[in-house]
Amino acid sequence: MADIGQDLGRAKDILERGGLVAIPTETVYGLAANGLNSEAVAKIFEAKQRPSFDPLILHTSSLDRVNNIVDNIPDKANDLASAFWPGPLTMVMNKQENVPDLVTSGLASVAVRVPNHDFTKALLESIDFPLAAPSANPFGYISPVTAEHVNQQLGGRIDYILDGGPCTVGLESTIVSFVNDPTVLRLGGLSLERIKNVIPSIKVNTHSSSKPTAPGMLESHYAPKKTIELKDQFDSNSIVDFFQIGALVFQHYLEDIPHENQYLLSVNGDLNEAAQRLFTGLRTLDANPNIETIITELVPEEGLGRAINDRIKRATA
Ligand code: TXA
Ligand code: MG
């Protein structure tokens, strides 16, 4: 297991020596390394068992520093940055030559984000390189929203976990590409409505293709280890014992299933709260030894509900 703490100096030290540190952000915990050092970045892929075709996000402390890694910042990207950075928004732009191919999987573009978390902002300001950081989970599994989640799965493979408390947004960042017309590649912690306030004409393309540009776009992703199905598609005859069913539900308990096997996302029907609790709910049910099958339901398709539904559909795919 890794050491967990709040020692920024230690985190800086490890990163400067090319090591791995899990860092808190407002979205999910990231597994960070020096993003301009290929050897350090390779350790991320190794620890996560991540396929090398899946490019990483570079994190910096300011828009100003983004100029060191991207070619030029399109006007509309500037507008989004002024509106939402630091925050749960990642932008894909043409990269500069100093960004290693390993970070971008050989693409000519790079994904960048200025995260909004006090520890990580201070850490990023204290170093002179950007941090490459995917979500700190084994590839394909649920993203971590606490230091403990990181430790449970990757603790043996990283040097230090910087504990910044539970993530306040709870969903990965929204990704917007500026390689062609502005396009949302991944729904996430910044709602489509808020982005459309700044770029009304923005396109959305979050569907997987044979060569996805974002594996968060893969049909099956963010999945727990247990079987998980949408409640409408669930065949109750296939299970004899309702005590073995767990449920991840929005606002109300489902009938027939013991309440202790159910996880409510938001009693008040608040989609921001539901987003924040989603991954902890999935993990809690996945870890409950009394549960064999998880059933779930979609939430209203608005605000962060779009991103929640996206994750639920991929988890149940
Ligand atoms: O909230 C987040 O974005 C978190 C925190 C740690 O910042 N990070 C995160 O990283 O979710 P990751 O690696 O799990 O997801 C990043 C996604 C990947 O699906 C990747 O394919 C996409 O970003 N991506 C990275 N570079 C890209 C590029 N040049 N073009 C298109 N997609 C890219
Ligand atoms: Mg991820």
Side-chain angles (χ1 to χ4, degrees):
M1 291 289 113
D3 276 353
I4 302 185
Q6 306 194 323
D7 187 343
L8 286 171
R10 180 161 170 201
K12 173 177 192 270
D13 213 54
I14 294 168
L15 291 165
E16 282 175 343
R17 285 189 278 111
L20 297 180
V21 176
I23 55 166
T25 82
E26 78 282 32
T27 59
V28 301
Y29 273 72
L31 181 57
N34 179 343
L36 301 182
N37 172 340
S38 293
E39 267 172 55
V41 172
K43 293 180 189 166
I44 296 178
F45 284 90
E46 169 87 31
K48 276 196 62 138
Q49 308 266 297
R50 179 175 175 119
S52 61
F53 65 74
D54 189 359
L56 304 176
I57 298 173
L58 290 184
H59 299 72
T60 69
S61 57
S62 68
L63 180 59
D64 205 40
R65 289 202 188 186
V66 171
N67 284 306
N68 302 330
I69 43 185
V70 312
D71 207 20
N72 93 302
I73 303 179
D75 288 347
K76 285 181 177 162
N78 242 312
D79 296 344
L80 285 188
S82 333
F84 304 119
W85 273 354
L89 167 72
T90 293
M91 295 199 278
V92 176
M93 295 176 265
N94 291 328
K95 77 177 189 84
Q96 277 185 33
E97 223 153 82
N98 59 341
V99 178
D101 278 339
L102 194 54
V103 169
T104 64
S105 305
L107 296 172
S109 60
V110 63
V112 291
R113 179 162 104 83
V114 178
N116 189 15
H117 186 290
D118 286 347
F119 284 177
T120 294
K121 277 195 282 189
L123 180 64
L124 287 168
E125 262 160 37
S126 74
I127 54 183
D128 58 9
F129 47 85
L131 290 177
S135 52
N137 50 281
F139 183 70
Y141 194 66
I142 306 159
S143 297
V145 294
T146 66
E148 196 43 50
H149 290 166
V150 179
N151 206 19
Q152 280 160 12
Q153 292 189 295
L154 294 179
R157 297 163 178 239
I158 54 191
D159 301 311
Y160 188 57
I161 301 173
L162 190 59
D163 186 356
C167 301
T168 52
V169 174
L171 292 174
E172 302 85 354
S173 60
T174 301
I175 303 180
V176 177
S177 172
F178 288 90
V179 171
N180 299 115
D181 291 341
T183 306
V184 174
L185 298 183
R186 177 174 76 181
L187 297 165
L190 179 66
S191 73
L192 190 58
E193 288 89 337
R194 294 188 68 194
I195 293 176
K196 281 189 168 166
N197 283 337
V198 179
I199 308 179
S201 64
I202 194 148
K203 297 179 185 167
V204 180
N205 178 12
T206 60
H207 295 293
S208 70
S209 58
S210 54
K211 189 176 181 296
T213 45
M217 295 165 86
L218 288 173
E219 212 62 59
S220 170
H221 208 67
Y222 311 108
K225 298 194 178 96
K226 288 177 184 163
T227 309
I228 176 163
E229 291 176 45
L230 286 170
K231 71 172 192 228
D232 304 335
Q233 284 156 19
F234 175 65
D235 174 10
S236 54
N237 295 322
S238 69
I239 276 223
V240 267
D241 189 354
F242 271 78
F243 287 89
Q244 294 177 337
I245 304 176
L248 181 82
V249 283
F250 182 39
Q251 221 181 331
H252 306 288
Y253 286 116
L254 300 181
E255 274 176 45
D256 299 329
I257 299 170
H259 286 191
E260 64 269 23
N261 285 3
Q262 300 199 50
Y263 194 95
L264 290 184
L265 290 174
S266 174
V267 183
N268 299 320
D270 175 342
L271 289 167
N272 294 335
E273 181 184 37
Q276 196 192 9
R277 288 168 56 78
L278 178 70
F279 290 154
T280 299
L282 277 172
R283 278 178 187 259
T284 304
L285 297 173
D286 210 20
N288 182 333
N290 300 322
I291 294 173
E292 286 203 350
T293 298
I294 302 166
I295 58 178
T296 186
E297 62 186 7
L298 298 177
V299 303
E301 183 75 5
E302 63 193 33
L304 294 194
R306 284 179 221 274
I308 295 173
N309 287 341
D310 173 89
R311 302 303 185 271
I312 289 177
K313 285 178 196 159
R314 290 183 207 275
T316 56

